[in-house]
Amino acid sequence: MLSACPVAGLVVLFTLQSNGDARPATVLMSISTILSLVTIPLVYWFASLW
């Protein structure tokens, strides 16, 4: 179930700490969160079949 969850927001914080550009990290974190809206119910459904 944890593999279907979105990535942690710490990626953006680590990027900011290293004085990097946070925009790509923010975009990827947003995409991960949106995709988890599909993957979490899908994984839950597959797990309920067992």
Side-chain angles (χ1 to χ4, degrees), residues 10-32:
L10 290 176
V11 173
V12 177
L13 295 176
F14 289 145
T15 305
L16 290 173
Q17 271 186 337
S18 66
N19 297 323
D21 185 16
R23 185 174 172 88
T26 305
V27 169
L28 290 174
M29 187 182 72
S30 300
I31 291 171
S32 172

Side-chain angles (χ1 to χ4, degrees):
M1 190 64 143
L2 288 175
S3 63
C5 293
V7 297
L10 290 176
V11 173
V12 177
L13 295 176
F14 289 145
T15 305
L16 290 173
Q17 271 186 337
S18 66
N19 297 323
D21 185 16
R23 185 174 172 88
T26 305
V27 169
L28 290 174
M29 187 182 72
S30 300
I31 291 171
S32 172
T33 302
I34 292 168
L35 288 176
S36 72
L37 294 173
V38 175
T39 58
I40 291 174
L42 190 64
V43 168
Y44 184 76
W45 179 73
F46 278 131
S48 69
L49 292 177
W50 291 37

